[in-house]
Amino acid sequence: MRLRLVVIGDSMLDIDIDGTATRLSPEAPVPVVDGEQLGQRPGGAGLAAALAARHGAEVTLVTAIGDDGHGRTLHRLLADVGVDVLALPVAGSTACKTRVRADGQNVVRLDQGTGTAGTFTVPAELDGLLRSAHAVVAADYGKGMCADAGVRALLTGIAADIPVIWDPHPRGSAPTAGAALVTPNEAEAEHFSGSAEELRSRWGARAVCVTLGPRGAVLATGADSCAHLAPEHSVVARADTCGAGDRFAVAAAMALAGDADVASAVAHAVDAATRFVGAGGAGSMSTVTALPHVLTEDRLPRGFAPITDDLADVARRLRRSGGRVVATGGCFDLLHTGHVRLLHRARQLGGALVVLLNSDASVRALKGPTRPVMPAEDRARVLAALACVDAVCIFDELSPETALATLQPDVWVKGGDYTAADLPEAGVVRSHGGDVVLLPTVPGYSSSRLIAAARS
């Protein structure tokens, strides 16, 4: 069963312009950035919703989005990851944050649009939507959505039955009473002038967790209960921590929705946020395109064979060329629209995409004696011809665990209605610090259905 989450709060469009800087401007002593690629992703509550959908939840986002260019782009990005949106009026234009970075270092940030929640009547369907959820995340970025009296009354009303996880902001409202978990970071806790336990008592929350970045988190659940939870993995230096709070809140919400106790949920969230930062942070959620004036070179080193059975060589060459390695796998018996969309979106999560392809023997074991329709060599050639695929490796086992142990990708992508618990290979991926990403499939497309239709 897929978990149903409602995310309610303030959304924005986040844009990253990445490039290099090798000279200063003659007009002023500032770096000149040669832009190479542009990344776009949902921000704020939109990022929290996208993260929940990426990790297998059925998600509805309740937020204010304008009918403008940034708002339409935000709608499209959310639809691409399977997020349903209940859009409410926005005062002014949709908020947009643009970061310009040179060699991974922020140079400047440009903010556009007021993006505050306008005057609205709480939709009649919102109460039922909240009560049908397994958990609710309030992503309060201080732009008015979580300050609305009607919204707050509904959140207070469901708190006894449904976990409400509140991610606060210094410019936002106090959490509603009865929240299952409130998740300020260390700076926000200092702004609110209180320890985890003091804030828990002041806000009337069942638990407050103060996140400490790479040091983990402090959880308070009562006057005599305060625990420090350290992460299991370390974060690389200069890692981009943008979005870590959203990943933490969503991971905790999904754990609580699955009936975990709050200590277990927070421990899971600490680990999930640490892995998220290590895998590239919010940038891993971006749809990335090359800027029009950039002529890109081949992504892989000269002489690289796109179809190979030497995974160790693939791993070595990709690591040498830099960038995050993304992997996905499957039979890909008859390539269709759903496959192409999955591969394209997987490639956007990193610098290179490796497809682990089931051999003919493993396809027969999984699908029956009449499959595959296309032999492995032909399936590999078709996949390797796609611009979004950098390498194809054929494996014989039923599960790609052995192949993943050799490749050690930064991200492992699967499509369909899986949860991480359904994937035996998830433990292998995470054992070397990788992240598991679940992408929704395109309804109506499957190789089995196409083959059955052809045979009939």
Side-chain angles (χ1 to χ4, degrees):
M1 180 186 68
R2 292 180 68 189
L3 296 175
R4 292 189 303 276
L5 259 66
V6 173
V7 178
I8 186 165
D10 310 300
S11 298
M12 61 205 72
L13 176 65
D14 281 350
I15 297 176
D16 289 334
I17 298 175
D18 285 284
T20 57
T22 58
R23 64 193 191 279
L24 294 178
S25 169
E27 290 87 7
V30 295
V32 176
V33 179
D34 293 317
E36 296 173 356
Q37 65 180 26
L38 180 144
Q40 296 177 311
R41 64 178 176 275
L47 177 60
L51 284 165
R54 186 173 101 166
H55 288 272
E58 180 182 333
V59 185
T60 300
L61 171 64
V62 183
T63 193
I65 302 179
D67 184 16
D68 47 48
H70 291 151
R72 288 187 288 273
T73 298
L74 183 53
H75 265 294
R76 175 179 56 78
L77 294 171
L78 290 164
D80 282 348
V81 293
V83 174
D84 292 327
V85 178
L86 177 56
L88 300 178
V90 65
S93 56
T94 304
C96 176
K97 297 187 302 182
T98 301
R99 295 190 300 176
V100 179
R101 301 188 298 189
D103 302 308
Q105 179 67 47
N106 287 346
V107 175
V108 67
R109 194 183 95 180
L110 173 66
D111 288 4
Q112 298 170 278
T114 54
T116 57
T119 301
F120 61 88
T121 300
V122 174
E125 67 265 36
L126 182 55
D127 182 58
L129 181 66
L130 293 172
R131 292 187 182 278
S132 69
H134 293 106
V136 175
V137 176
D140 186 2
Y141 278 77
K143 294 184 178 294
M145 179 60 64
C146 295
D148 179 83
V151 169
R152 294 178 67 82
L154 291 179
L155 292 175
T156 302
I158 66 168
D161 303 310
I162 298 165
V164 175
I165 294 79
W166 193 289
D167 188 9
H169 190 281
R171 293 195 297 270
S173 303
T176 52
L181 181 66
V182 186
T183 62
N185 62 32
E186 194 170 18
E188 289 162 348
E190 290 178 2
H191 170 84
F192 296 128
S193 303
S195 65
E197 176 51 36
E198 289 168 341
L199 294 174
R200 189 201 67 80
S201 177
R202 185 189 311 165
W203 288 333
R206 281 182 270 168
V208 166
C209 175
V210 177
T211 58
L212 308 174
R215 306 194 316 278
V218 172
L219 172 65
T221 56
D224 299 319
S225 178
C226 195
H228 176 236
L229 295 94
E232 295 183 7
H233 303 87
S234 60
V235 177
V236 298
R238 293 183 61 191
D240 186 356
T241 60
C242 179
D246 298 291
R247 179 70 187 104
F248 185 96
V250 164
M254 293 182 69
L256 290 171
D259 294 328
D261 61 79
V262 69
S264 298
V266 168
H268 169 69
V270 167
D271 185 54
T274 302
R275 292 181 183 278
F276 175 71
V277 172
S284 67
M285 298 295 294
S286 294
T287 297
V288 178
T289 56
L291 292 175
H293 64 279
V294 176
L295 297 177
T296 58
E297 300 177 353
D298 290 342
R299 294 186 294 268
L300 296 177
R302 190 181 303 276
F304 188 90
I307 303 174
T308 178
D309 58 2
D310 190 346
L311 268 175
D313 180 60
V314 171
R316 183 171 57 253
R317 289 174 180 255
L318 290 177
R319 299 297 176 196
R320 189 183 305 154
S321 65
R324 299 169 69 237
V325 177
V326 182
T328 190
C331 301
F332 296 99
D333 199 357
L334 286 183
L335 201 65
H336 54 67
T337 296
H339 289 145
V340 173
R341 183 174 179 183
L342 170 72
L343 294 167
H344 176 70
R345 290 169 63 189
R347 179 60 176 79
Q348 292 174 342
L349 298 176
L353 174 63
V354 179
V355 179
L356 303 181
L357 183 67
N358 289 82
S359 69
D360 293 346
S362 64
V363 174
R364 280 192 293 271
L366 291 168
K367 303 288 187 179
T370 62
R371 301 285 294 274
V373 172
M374 302 272 290
E377 292 76 12
D378 289 343
R379 289 183 281 128
R381 291 188 189 101
V382 172
L383 287 166
L386 298 175
C388 58
V389 174
D390 296 276
V392 181
C393 300
I394 301 171
F395 68 97
D396 285 317
E397 297 81 10
L398 296 182
S399 167
E401 292 173 81
T402 301
L404 288 168
T406 301
L407 182 62
Q408 297 190 1
D410 299 293
V411 184
W412 171 242
V413 175
K414 286 294 288 183
D417 295 329
Y418 293 102
T419 66
D422 297 327
L423 303 175
E425 67 270 23
V428 175
V429 175
R430 288 172 173 159
S431 68
H432 62 259
D435 194 18
V436 176
V437 173
L438 303 175
L439 296 177
T441 55
V442 180
Y445 290 93
S446 77
S447 295
S448 298
R449 183 177 298 180
L450 289 173
I451 292 167
R455 285 175 173 164
S456 66

